[in-house]
Amino acid sequence: MDKDLEAGLPSGQADDDKDPSTEKIQNDLSLHAVDPVNVHVRNLSVDIDVSPGGLAALSNVFKRRQTPSTQLYKNILHDVSANIQSGSLTAVLGGSGSGKTTMLHALSHRISGGRLQIKGKILYNGDPQLSNVRNAYVMQNDVLLPTLTVRETLLYAAELRLPPPTTPAERRQVVEDVILELGLKECADTRIGNDIHKGCSGGEKRRTSLGVQMLANPSVLFLDEVTTGLDAASAFQLVRTLKLLANKGRTIIVTIHQPRSEIWGLFDGLVLLSGGAAVYSGSREDCLPYFEGLGFPLPAFVNPAEFLVDLAAIDNRSVDLEQESTARVEALRQAWRKANDNRASWIVEKTGEEPAAINVDNGKGQRLGYLGRQVRVLTARTVKTTYRDPMGMSGSLIEALTMAIITGWIFLNLDGSLAGIRSRQGALYTASALQGYLILIFETYRLTIDIELFDREYAEGVTNVSSFLISRRLARLFVEDLPVPLLYSVIFYFMVGFDAQADQFLVFFAINLLLHYIAVNLAMLCVSVSRDFAGASLIGNMAYTIQSLGSGYFVQSNQIPVWVRWIKYTAYVFYGFGALAANEFVGHTSNPAGTIYDCPAPGGASDPACEEYTGAYVMRSLGFPSNWIWRPIIALVGFVLAFYLGAGIILRYKTVGMGISRARPTEVDNSLGKEDLTAQSLDERLRVTVSLENYSLDIEKREWTLKKSMKSILKPFSTVFEPGVLNVIMGPSGSGKTSLLNLMADRLHDSLATSYKSTGNMRFNNTIPSAEVVKSMCSYVCQDDDALLARLTVRENLHFAAGLRLPTHLSKIEKRQRAESVLLKLGLKDCADNLVGDDLVKGISGGEKRRVTIAIQILTDPRILLLDEPTSGLDAFTASSIMTVLRGLAEEGRTLILTIHQARSDLFTHFGNVLLLARGGSPVFAGKGSSMLPHFASLGFHCPTDTNPADFALDLITVNLQHATLEASTREKVRSLIHDWDNQSKQPDLPTSSAQLPAPTALRTPTPTLTALPLLLRRSALNFRRSPPALIARTTQVLGFAALLTLFFAPLRTDTYSIQTRLGFIQEFQALYFVGMLQNVAVYPAERAVFRREHADAAYHPLAFFLAYTALEIPFEILTACLFACLTVLAAGLPRTPALFFAVAANCFAIVSCGESLGIVFNTLFAAHTGFAVNVTSTLLSLATIMGGVVSLDLPPFLEAWNHLSPVKWSLGNLAPWTLRGVRFGCPKDDGGGCGGLRTGEEVLRLYGLDGDPGLNLVGLGVCVLVYRFVAWGVLEGRVRRGGWVWRVMKKEKNKR
């Protein structure tokens, strides 16, 4: 084993290959030595409070089920102890849900929450503080920047993680060593990619994540399911690397699901968990003798790890198996407790002695390094990722350009009339408030995505808060922070017609630059408080509302009620708008009256009737001092620093940890008994043979520069997949396995950036199927589990899926029985009433999520079932049980085609047909599974009798990239294997089949809308009720906004100064347009992701999803609209009439609904880039708000016509007459010289052009609501049908060519 370990090959292969280059070859990673750390775990227990919370708790109180103080706890870990020595590789084994990840989180201090109770001791060299030890954690989910290549990711990680004395050359050498050691050479210059833009495979991302943490050179390394998503050969190479690192003094602790037999020999220590309790904890050498002494000897030719996991698992697929396995596991727990009490290793704990503590001075202080170096590295990394995201980079520039041109057009060349003066005020408010608000929303959304990487790196101690904040702004200085305000200022300033004086323009630009920095720092402050967009946007929106109300434009600063008048001094827009107003009206003239505009009175400026045309009067009416330029600028600088420091302090001291979702304990179990999953469909006896003839796939990518590149994914090959057996596709990471399944399932669709070019034919029973037949006969289990609703339990997910996917001829009881049967068969009984959970709130384990995803797909009893890595993320026992279920499904006549990375040793005999692909998509073998080993034996490669054939095949076709000599020899071997197969392969013999494909009338069709709608409504309501961020997004924004309006405007006065205030009051209603959009962004993308996956499975029609979303949205909008009307009408001082109350409520409902509709439109069109959608939507909403009729009084004809499409125009058109008609305005008390100008509400309406019929305008608003929602449905309907009309036009043009 030692020789094989050094050679980088699994045992057995080195002897067979007889390659002299394998002798004593070993990479020596250029990492400094680390201090040894012993980890001692004593009686570790973790309990979670599962008592009802929130509405459920209140309901229980009223029903007198329990008192509010009653708490229920669920045990996750129970009395686990371990003694982990330095220089060892320790594996934590157990079935899914056994507590492996929870134990690792507890050891690494990464689990937190007020409902958790953690007991016991965890000591590191006798010290309970992990922060005093250099450590690293490889998470189960990869957190990588998608636009960086693998090499760039590792280089930046090395710059941040390696100690400052390390030279750049040494860091580059370490990175190259890590790339070789982890087999990343061939993808080193490939971008990481994401779900939208494909890059590295899942296995390559996993290895890159490990490489990032290896560069930290930790003394203690934690790894959660490190081999999940890797093929068997890559998994062995990776664990072998961990073993070499452990041999150099590191303490490495891993959770692992399905270790191959060669990996078992690499472990030094072992912790075996079952149901949260340990059944063994000690050395690997003592493990098998211990269980043999209990009467459980290891059978011959069985993987020890698989044997132990099977032994410690509870089999709940039947009552008898459950009772038998439960008794066995309980006996193992009792035996271990008894043995543990007598073990000498625990005498230390009993006598109070501890191992001598080693002086470890590797805490955060040393790891942080110099601030300047961190700023340099983070800035360089952010610059690169910014330039590689052209849509994100151009979003703010396009927004600034669009806003500048259109708002400049709205306020084009303003004259000096009274209407022109009021429009100048609106133009200055637009520059000071709306532009900054758009930046605030866009930056908030971007930060909710980018902050995840900062949280990880900050927790690891490789960055600090200051370097993150400084580098983010430095990186965007020349691509956003300077160009955006400069572009906006240059265009807007001169289009409006402000004075063309250099000093006046520079002040204008300087104020806009400061407002831009305030907006981005405020966004950082919002995200530092709440990591999710729903919470962060709520904080930002409320903050902006205060800015808007306190600005002095909508409600004059000297008319703000006394009890909230102080708030204006906390509103940065108050200073920004005031400085811009002073700059325009009084700042650059020696005349005490300020700038004199075009007074029509014959006496000119000296006439008292011209007072309203002077800059001094405008400043006085707005409530600003006359000398109000430099003092506000200083205040704006203070806001920049205050928001920056506030965000920094919160990021520094607010802990971000993983919570655990509430389980729903119940004493009723509907899963007892075992029911056979019998086919119910009409095509029960249809057996389908799938044949591929000269099948190949290429991808053409188009960059934003119009440069095209072609990449081959699958080389041409032919094969047959038969019914009744398991058809397995195997190959290393990057061999095109997932792409092949996506192509067969018709899931690859062209976009503007990517085109898929396939050749060859796929036949069902010698017939080329249509896309409808493929969708009807195939079900596809994807590798991701994003179709699950996080706030529903496992049972609820299955029941709703059964209702939505099963044929309508089945009754509700039959559908429920089918769901319960599948739940039982896939071993989901124990977690059936647990919430699924998500990235923020932990629920069931990753393996359990995988089983739920598979269960949903087999509910429909498909004739062809495609599965992408169905055993990935599962323990050995669960993987075996799932494969047993899949074999049973195949034996019923179905055609099962699956990709698989790590097959158990006892599974290969069940492989009917095997397709073996090398990296790059080249076929190496395609045929009967029983013929694979004889084929390789004929070429001189014999599989040892004690080696897993699946592992042998993957080792054989995997290029070893860890060593130059091994790479050359293994690459040549793989080339020869490909060449040999190409020379002898021929068209496969297609079995004759008389079975015909179903007629169009017999195809499986989506559930009718009327059937699916009630189910979707119930499911969404249940998921929504349990999601606090969604509830907050739907309810608090409107209510908080109404409360602020009431505080600032109540009571409305009737003097001439209050004209602007009353108009500002109804104008502020239009901010609800943004509220609707923000509510949509907080809820819709997650709902759309579930719908997209279910629609791909032909579960139901887009109309059903759209109606369910709308039906769930409307009640909240009606409720909040009525509460909004109560606060604004009854408290603010508007006429208290039923007509006005319902008019205000109707306007609130309509405006929010239109904002939701636009959110649906753009979040559907730009589903791949929600940040860009937010920016575009916000820009359009801002323009609509400006063109409503209060901010700008004279629109160009084209914009006036376009304005009829805006609900803001119709809203102001009915609110203004209802709130102003009959109102008479008197002189202010402080006006000593009499007052002129506007004296009645009718005069105000005529000046602003708002004197139309309010009833007709209300009808127009209602029409807008319906039209907007209909357009939203049309966009959704067109987008989900293979990309909509754009895709169909492109496809038609391609076919013509």
Side-chain angles (χ1 to χ4, degrees), residues 695-712:
Y695 221 44
S696 69
L697 175 64
D698 298 325
I699 293 181
E700 180 185 87
K701 287 187 173 291
R702 291 178 289 273
E703 303 290 341
W704 64 281
T705 58
L706 301 182
K707 179 182 177 181
K708 296 182 179 180
S709 61
M710 185 73 72
K711 182 179 181 181
S712 176

Side-chain angles (χ1 to χ4, degrees), residues 717-735:
F717 69 93
S718 299
T719 191
V720 171
F721 300 124
E722 297 176 302
V725 297
L726 294 180
N727 302 278
V728 178
I729 304 171
M730 294 195 301
S733 298
S735 59

